[in-house]
Amino acid sequence: MSKEEYLKSLSDCVFEMEDEKVVTVAEEYLREGHSALDGINLGLVDGMNRAGALYEQEEYFVTDLLLCSDAMYNGLDVLKPHLQSETAEGEEPIPAVIGVVQGDTHDIGKNLVKIMFETAGFTMYDLGRDVPIEAFVDKAQEVNARLICLSTLMTTTMIGMQRVVELLKERGLYGKIKVMIGGGPVSKNFCDKIGADAYTGSAMEAVRVAKMLLNGEPIPAS
């Protein structure tokens, strides 16, 4: 098969909940010498995005998404060890804290962002899901993080993102520690409203924006 055919097959495995077949396809894909990063972004993540679109159209249910994510994670287990870090020799990894805000247990998107950031040379301190607000700021202070990444898929928990920003202000850390937010119900308008530093809609975009943010470069309007 061509690389494009392999990518389509990886996407289909996730979309069609083929949690065993995806392992075989991912292994064959690597044996052919193809990029692990492309396999994740253009294969596995594409399949998850397709499933998410059907979920929004109410053709897939939560149970379907969970089965799709099982397939995606099986594929990730094969591809992730072959990712090449982009950290330049002699360059210190950038510490960042990531987690899903309190009240939400959906962590598929957060996990993808974490993988992309680690590949890009960040040291990620993953607090998991349903994380208390103070834990984000406490951990950021403990590890001297330059960035906090917040995720949620529930509108009812978006207020937690605002509380993290407010807590940074209370501790005199606002502006010193940047805040990036993402997730299904989150938007650029909400980001601006709460005073977060950046919003992104995808894992790959998050890495690009994070580097611009930390380098003091202006973030282009999305």
Side-chain angles (χ1 to χ4, degrees), residues 45-56:
V45 174
D46 181 73
M48 203 67 217
N49 287 339
R50 291 164 62 196
L54 285 192
Y55 175 73
E56 291 176 1

Side-chain angles (χ1 to χ4, degrees), residues 96-109:
V97 173
I98 190 170
V100 181
V101 295
Q102 191 168 28
D104 193 348
T105 59
H106 302 89
D107 62 358
I108 295 173

Side-chain angles (χ1 to χ4, degrees), residues 3 7 10 26 29-30 32-43 79 82-84:
K3 179 180 179 180
L7 292 174
L10 287 170
Y29 173 84
L30 290 174
E32 292 295 319
H34 299 309
S35 161
L37 184 60
D38 286 347
I40 292 172
N41 287 322
L42 304 179
L79 296 176
H82 296 270
L83 288 172
Q84 298 297 315

Side-chain angles (χ1 to χ4, degrees), residues 19 42 57 71 80 98 115 127 132 160 166-167 180 192 215 222:
D19 61 339
L42 304 179
Q57 297 166 20
K80 185 181 176 183
I98 190 170
I115 291 168
L127 302 184
E166 291 170 350
L167 187 56
M180 289 183 62
D192 294 341
N215 289 330
S222 52

Side-chain angles (χ1 to χ4, degrees), residues 10-30:
L10 287 170
S11 177
D12 288 345
C13 283
V14 173
F15 182 65
E16 297 167 2
M17 312 169 207
E18 298 278 2
D19 61 339
E20 295 183 4
K21 180 181 178 182
V22 70
V23 172
T24 301
V25 174
E27 290 172 344
E28 292 176 358
Y29 173 84
L30 290 174

Side-chain angles (χ1 to χ4, degrees), residues 30-168:
L30 290 174
R31 279 198 294 270
E32 292 295 319
H34 299 309
S35 161
L37 184 60
D38 286 347
I40 292 172
N41 287 322
L42 304 179
L44 302 178
V45 174
D46 181 73
M48 203 67 217
N49 287 339
R50 291 164 62 196
L54 285 192
Y55 175 73
E56 291 176 1
Q57 297 166 20
E58 298 184 350
E59 294 184 36
Y60 266 23
F61 301 99
V62 172
T63 50
D64 297 313
L65 285 186
L66 291 174
L67 291 171
C68 289
S69 67
D70 285 344
M72 182 189 70
Y73 286 131
N74 282 358
L76 281 173
D77 286 342
V78 176
L79 296 176
K80 185 181 176 183
H82 296 270
L83 288 172
Q84 298 297 315
S85 174
E86 296 176 7
T87 307
E89 186 174 348
E91 183 180 326
E92 286 293 322
I94 301 167
V97 173
I98 190 170
V100 181
V101 295
Q102 191 168 28
D104 193 348
T105 59
H106 302 89
D107 62 358
I108 295 173
K110 182 269 295 178
N111 292 341
L112 287 174
V113 171
K114 175 188 174 185
I115 291 168
M116 294 299 101
F117 269 73
E118 287 176 338
T119 303
F122 288 73
T123 297
M124 301 303 291
Y125 294 89
D126 186 0
L127 302 184
R129 52 193 182 180
D130 193 18
V131 181
I133 304 310
E134 288 198 357
F136 285 106
V137 181
D138 289 345
K139 189 65 177 182
Q141 288 186 276
E142 176 191 334
V143 302
N144 293 316
R146 297 183 61 195
L147 182 68
I148 295 176
C149 300
L150 305 171
S151 172
T152 188
L153 275 181
M154 299 171 62
T155 55
T156 54
T157 58
M158 289 167 62
I159 188 64
M161 295 177 165
Q162 181 175 349
R163 288 176 179 157
V164 170
V165 173
E166 291 170 350
L167 187 56
L168 286 171

